[in-house]
Amino acid sequence: MPDSHEQTHKVIIGKALVFDCSTKQLLNKQQIIKLNRAEREVLYTLIVNAPRMVTKAELLKAGWVRKEVTPTSLFQTIRNLRLKLKEEEKGQIIELVPKLGYKINIIQPSPPAPSDAPPHRTINNSRRTTKIAICFTLAIFAGLSILLYNHLQKDQFYHRTITDDDNNTVVLLSKLESDLIPLHGYSNQYITPKNIHDKLFFISKSDEYYSIAFCNKTKQNYCDPDSARAVTFKHFDIDTFWPLLTEESMTIGAMSVYENTTNMQASAKSYNLYLENGNIYPNLSQYFVRKKGKDTWKFTGISFRMNKDKSEFIAISFKGGQFSLIESNIAPFIATSKITPGYFYWINSQEELKKMGVKLPGEVKNYENSLYTKAVGYDTYMLYRQKGLFLWYSPDVGFYWYAQQGETDSNFDEYFQFAKCHGDLQLNPDPECD
């Protein structure tokens, strides 16, 4: 093996991470990033062999000494390393050599060049002018750097995935890294005492709003589409939400508006719940989609709200516009979709809705509607996918599911194929994507 990196001891990985070859520690600003034994040895082996490709057999031997494991273990370890190394785009740091192995892209620190020139005591006018020009240039560069940093921060998200002893998988998401610990605290505080098991949770915080998406896990650890729900609410309601999680209002099983025998071509449904003043209000949307061009679709959505007897959904409004699918390199998302609102109309007046026993939408839902009444475009990010089921997230409106309905594949299969091997949060990774 080459020993050039062992002589330099430390190498730079990505933007700010350092791996110390002498201690086999991964550091972020002197803070140690915890690696398990397999992750540590696989990363070390990739580094000391760089830029050479390391075969999968070599990495399996390095990571699991005197222990036979399946290639899936290596796949999972590489996936974990991508997360801990903060890859913004798959292959940016750890690069797959198809059917052969992996190699890593690193930077060796360069020692400062020695200088034999004596220090100058005086500066003439030309040098003073040069110095001023350099300072001016540096000031401009610093300003541009700040603007660029703020732009990157705008599209930066932090995330963490946790699996507990009850087979619940919890994905935390925030634009502020400091919010991840409180989010973890909420999930620990309420999920465990409720004996909730076999669920997939997505929990996010955006300014003063929380959003939670969840579903029941199947035996294959996929999402049961009929149990997929999403809730968005203000921060002061979070203590109200968790105790309601296992109650009847959160387990309404019927997601269909129309008879099951009705073949709804080119459509999708989204079942979101709204927590308003301590009460849960189911809100069902039915979307009809028509392809307009490459990666662009027109859509019309009808929103339904359940009456107070919880006996039927009442159509209250409809909206429409178009969305365009664009590739995303923002971790941990699979893709970005640009929503361009076109129109919004109420179907029934407030007086008519009251007569039908329908509670009027509250602040959160009305804010979402306002994006359409004002025709304000916004970005939304695909976070999770499986065949016919997608979870989208927007800091503006929170989480929402799209479940394909009907047998027509032309509109939604492109989403699935695009998302199949994208993103670093593949909770059900396809081995073909490795």
Side-chain angles (χ1 to χ4, degrees), residues 213-264:
F214 58 96
C215 67
N216 295 330
K217 284 185 181 180
T218 65
K219 291 182 179 180
Q220 294 78 27
N221 277 338
Y222 282 89
C223 237
D224 172 17
D226 288 336
S227 67
R229 304 285 186 269
V231 191
T232 302
F233 49 87
K234 275 195 152 183
H235 64 89
F236 56 81
D237 278 335
I238 193 166
D239 290 336
T240 306
F241 165 72
W242 290 103
L244 290 173
L245 184 59
T246 56
E247 296 183 8
E248 182 180 356
S249 61
M250 299 294 286
T251 57
I252 300 169
M255 287 183 65
S256 295
V257 176
Y258 305 100
E259 294 293 333
N260 291 333
T261 55
T262 303
N263 186 10
M264 299 299 299

Side-chain angles (χ1 to χ4, degrees), residues 281-295:
Y281 294 98
N283 191 91
L284 174 63
S285 296
Q286 188 83 24
Y287 290 93
F288 303 89
V289 184
R290 177 176 60 84
K291 188 167 184 179
K292 180 182 179 183
K294 179 175 173 54
D295 298 330

Side-chain angles (χ1 to χ4, degrees), residues 399-410:
F399 290 116
Y400 48 101
W401 296 95
Y402 280 132
Q404 181 181 352
Q405 187 177 9
E407 300 301 323
T408 299
D409 291 330
S410 59

Side-chain angles (χ1 to χ4, degrees), residues 134-255:
I134 292 174
C135 291
F136 181 71
T137 303
L138 289 175
I140 293 176
F141 178 76
L144 292 174
S145 298
I146 292 172
L147 290 174
L148 177 61
Y149 175 78
N150 290 335
H151 174 72
L152 292 174
Q153 286 292 101
K154 177 178 179 292
D155 290 327
Q156 183 175 359
F157 293 84
Y158 295 92
H159 64 283
R160 183 178 301 169
T161 303
I162 304 140
T163 300
D164 63 20
D165 294 336
D166 294 316
N167 198 34
N168 295 307
T169 298
V170 182
V171 179
L172 308 176
L173 180 68
S174 175
K175 299 200 78 168
L176 296 176
E177 192 171 15
S178 57
D179 284 333
L180 293 181
I181 295 176
L183 288 177
H184 189 195
Y186 280 121
S187 64
N188 281 341
Q189 183 178 355
Y190 291 106
I191 292 178
T192 304
K194 283 287 183 179
N195 295 321
I196 297 171
H197 56 86
D198 296 328
K199 285 189 181 291
L200 177 59
F201 284 95
F202 299 87
I203 307 173
S204 76
K205 183 176 185 296
S206 178
D207 297 327
E208 59 181 350
Y209 290 97
Y210 289 93
S211 189
I212 300 176
F214 58 96
C215 67
N216 295 330
K217 284 185 181 180
T218 65
K219 291 182 179 180
Q220 294 78 27
N221 277 338
Y222 282 89
C223 237
D224 172 17
D226 288 336
S227 67
R229 304 285 186 269
V231 191
T232 302
F233 49 87
K234 275 195 152 183
H235 64 89
F236 56 81
D237 278 335
I238 193 166
D239 290 336
T240 306
F241 165 72
W242 290 103
L244 290 173
L245 184 59
T246 56
E247 296 183 8
E248 182 180 356
S249 61
M250 299 294 286
T251 57
I252 300 169
M255 287 183 65

